Amino acid sequence: MSLSERSLTELQDISTPNYDRKNIRPGVLHIGVGNFHRGHQAVYFDDLLETDLRWGIVGISMRSGGTRDRMASQDHLYTVCEKNGNKSSYRIIGSILDVLVLAESRQEILKLGVSSDISCITLTVTENGYCHTNSGDLNWQHPEITHDLEHPDSPISAPGLLVALLDARKRADGGPINLISCDNLSGNGRVLRSVVSQLAEHLSPDLAQWIDKNVAFPSTMVDRIVPATTDDDIEDFSEQHFRDSALITTEEFTQWVVEDSLIGNAPPLSGVGVLLTPDVAAFETMKLRFLNATHSALAYLGLLCGYEFIHEALDDPSLKSFATALMSAEIAPITATPDEVDINQYQQSVLTRFSNAAVPYKTAQVATNGSLKLPQRIFPTIERHLQTGEIPRRLCVVVAGWLACIDDVNLAQQFSDPILPVPPLNTCEGRTDLLGHLANNERLTREVDRHLQAIKRDGIASVISG
């Protein structure tokens, strides 16, 4: 049996939508209908639909029709499987009404974007999708941006598509709208506002003024481990239950923090567990510098140790000890965290979540795009140490581990990164392409180089335990 509207009545021991999908109206456009969106934001909107049918989602795929095809074949329904050890629970999500591919449905997307019923456009396009520089400005040399400047009527970048949508909405008097980034990007609302406003200003100053008055760009913090679904996951689930080609496997934990600056007819997110706060930065900083930084550390050091999955890396006593000390000794002492959070308990929860073998996360997947992630996750903490005159040994080991991975031809083939390929790497001194302005700190680069050479000479195990 395959999942579909017709098969819903035949399902047993599985939670199904508690609303009539035929009466749902789209209220949200979402750009980037990947696993994380379907395992996170779409679940919150599914909760909203139980009491308010105005918050259906229409997804937009920027490139491939693969997700569209898989979901369309099962009426856009899919299963979220939450796993914790040997315990599993299953829930059918019905909040996604359609998935449109940009190249095939550009006019339909623009038509939806001008509707006053659409009050939010959300995004999960990964850090690289914002086409921004390290300072948060629009990268005018980004290939997608240069394309969009030459072809403003057929943009292919996320900022370009958003500007086209907002321009159409302005012309149609569609009213105010919220653009909500849901990516692990520091100050994601600020960055999104910057790239959209700069591109709009270049194309039409009047549009830029309208955006300033009618568009909110709230910053957010999102947190849930949603690994890539494998063919084996789908086959195993099919043997036990039914066929679901869009299956999502995730953990029980989920968190969504949104800056309390939504405008217009915004969805009542606080009613379904979303925390609205005037200060997202403290939550964002906590997640980036504890959870995300430790995730990256385990990814690169785990790859160097030969581990395929994050939970395997944490099963290694030396890596677990390293990760524990990284948070408690080098991150916690210099990181401000929200008053309502027990930071010791939070650190333990990070290790517990990463140890959940029932939700396997590949080290190579976490290692992807390190040149974009580390400036958010690792470098700010290093900089704080440098301001106090300290050189943080473990954080330097993590940076050296990343450099060792991108410098190793075989390891670098396992993940993608816009910085690849790199020339042979003997020193990171002066390599601003790798470390930004930190590359000009001789004390830091000397320490990173020392660990990098030790990894190449003696192996990662001796460096971790040293």
Side-chain angles (χ1 to χ4, degrees):
M1 179 178 66
S2 296
L3 179 61
S4 67
E5 285 279 3
R6 181 179 298 179
S7 67
L8 283 180
T9 57
E10 303 176 39
L11 303 183
Q12 297 180 350
D13 301 323
I14 291 180
S15 175
T16 58
N18 190 28
Y19 49 82
D20 188 348
R21 293 186 82 219
K22 294 191 297 293
N23 294 326
I24 297 175
R25 300 206 310 270
V28 180
L29 291 182
H30 181 81
I31 301 175
V33 196
N35 275 30
F36 183 75
H37 167 69
R38 291 187 288 122
H40 189 270
Q41 300 98 47
V43 178
Y44 286 93
F45 282 106
D46 194 71
D47 288 337
L48 271 181
L49 289 172
E50 292 192 3
T51 55
D52 190 339
L53 295 176
R54 294 177 298 161
W55 302 113
I57 301 168
V58 174
I60 300 171
S61 174
M62 298 292 290
R63 300 285 182 272
S64 167
T67 299
R68 182 270 315 275
D69 295 341
R70 288 193 300 275
M71 296 195 67
S73 68
Q74 49 196 53
D75 300 322
H76 299 96
L77 296 166
Y78 64 97
T79 310
V80 168
C81 173
E82 294 182 359
K83 291 188 174 183
N84 184 6
N86 295 324
K87 185 177 68 173
S88 298
S89 62
Y90 307 98
R91 172 178 173 180
I92 306 298
I93 302 299
S95 55
I96 297 178
L97 306 179
D98 200 359
V99 177
L100 304 175
V101 179
L102 178 59
E104 302 172 12
S105 305
R106 190 177 300 273
Q107 293 307 312
E108 186 176 353
I109 291 168
L110 291 175
K111 184 177 179 181
L112 276 167
V114 306
S115 169
S116 59
D117 289 341
I118 301 291
S119 77
C120 295
I121 301 176
T122 54
L123 299 88
T124 48
V125 294
T126 76
E127 289 93 334
N128 195 37
Y130 291 81
C131 307
H132 67 295
T133 64
N134 288 338
S135 63
D137 292 320
L138 186 67
N139 180 2
W140 297 98
Q141 280 70 52
H142 193 288
E144 293 182 1
I145 296 301
T146 59
H147 170 278
D148 292 355
L149 292 173
E150 295 174 2
H151 308 282
D153 293 332
S154 55
I156 61 172
S157 72
L161 174 59
L162 288 171
V163 168
L165 284 165
L166 294 174
D167 184 44
R169 192 176 183 93
K170 171 182 176 291
R171 295 174 187 274
D173 196 22
I177 193 168
N178 301 281
L179 267 55
I180 307 176
S181 166
C182 300
D183 283 299
N184 289 322
L185 186 66
S186 183
N188 53 19
R190 174 185 54 79
V191 172
L192 184 59
R193 176 188 291 276
S194 176
V195 296
V196 168
S197 298
Q198 288 178 39
L199 184 56
E201 178 71 33
H202 178 82
L203 297 173
S204 167
D206 286 345
L207 174 60
Q209 292 179 12
W210 183 88
I211 289 172
D212 186 56
K213 296 177 181 178
N214 292 277
V215 183
F217 297 85
S219 287
T220 71
M221 189 275 276
V222 294
D223 191 3
R224 195 173 210 190
I225 296 174
V226 188
T229 304
T230 67
D231 290 339
D232 287 342
D233 292 332
I234 293 173
E235 291 304 322
D236 290 344
F237 185 82
S238 179
E239 290 177 7
Q240 299 178 45
H241 304 283
F242 49 84
R243 186 76 183 177
D244 183 351
S245 298
L247 175 73
I248 295 293
T249 300
T250 185
E251 61 178 335
E252 292 180 336
F253 181 92
T254 182
Q255 187 176 30
W256 192 4
V257 182
V258 177
E259 185 179 2
D260 193 7
S261 61
L262 299 174
I263 61 174
N265 182 29
L269 294 173
S270 61
V272 290
V274 178
L275 175 62
L276 298 181
T277 175
D279 182 19
V280 173
F283 290 90
E284 171 195 282
T285 299
M286 178 180 70
K287 187 201 170 198
L288 283 169
R289 299 193 187 178
F290 286 91
L291 185 136
N292 294 133
T294 305
H295 219 193
S296 289
L298 290 168
Y300 297 115
L301 304 184
L303 275 173
L304 291 166
C305 289
Y307 295 121
E308 183 179 3
F309 295 102
I310 294 292
H311 70 267
E312 293 175 338
L314 261 183
D315 283 341
D316 183 322
S318 62
L319 277 176
K320 183 174 183 178
S321 177
F322 181 92
T324 302
L326 177 71
M327 288 190 285
S328 63
E330 291 192 359
I331 300 175
I334 61 169
T335 303
T337 54
D339 293 338
E340 56 265 59
V341 175
D342 182 328
I343 198 58
N344 293 322
Q345 190 177 70
Y346 184 80
Q347 292 174 63
Q348 184 55 52
S349 76
V350 168
L351 298 176
T352 299
R353 292 170 62 194
F354 290 165
S355 298
N356 186 2
V359 185
Y361 220 128
K362 288 192 173 183
T363 49
Q365 183 181 355
V366 182
T368 292
N369 292 335
S371 64
L372 299 174
K373 293 175 179 176
L374 266 62
Q376 308 293 333
R377 302 178 174 191
I378 300 289
F379 294 177
T381 310
I382 291 177
E383 190 158 18
R384 285 282 290 112
H385 277 284
L386 294 176
Q387 290 169 358
T388 67
E390 299 175 352
I391 300 294
R393 184 186 73 83
R394 294 178 187 84
L395 287 164
C396 288
V397 169
V398 176
V399 175
W402 168 57
L403 296 177
C405 285
I406 64 174
D407 194 43
D408 186 304
V409 174
N410 294 323
L411 287 177
Q413 289 177 347
Q414 299 182 38
F415 57 88
S416 61
D417 193 309
I419 206 167
L420 292 172
V422 296
L425 184 59
N426 297 314
T427 178
C428 62
E429 183 178 1
R431 291 294 299 271
T432 54
D433 58 325
L434 299 173
L435 303 185
H437 69 273
L438 293 178
N440 298 319
N441 187 301
E442 186 177 350
R443 288 183 65 209
L444 173 69
T445 56
R446 190 164 55 239
E447 179 75 358
V448 172
D449 284 343
R450 183 173 73 85
H451 292 304
L452 176 59
Q453 298 309 318
I455 291 171
K456 294 181 176 181
R457 182 183 63 247
D458 305 322
I460 188 62
S462 64
V463 175
I464 294 171
S465 59

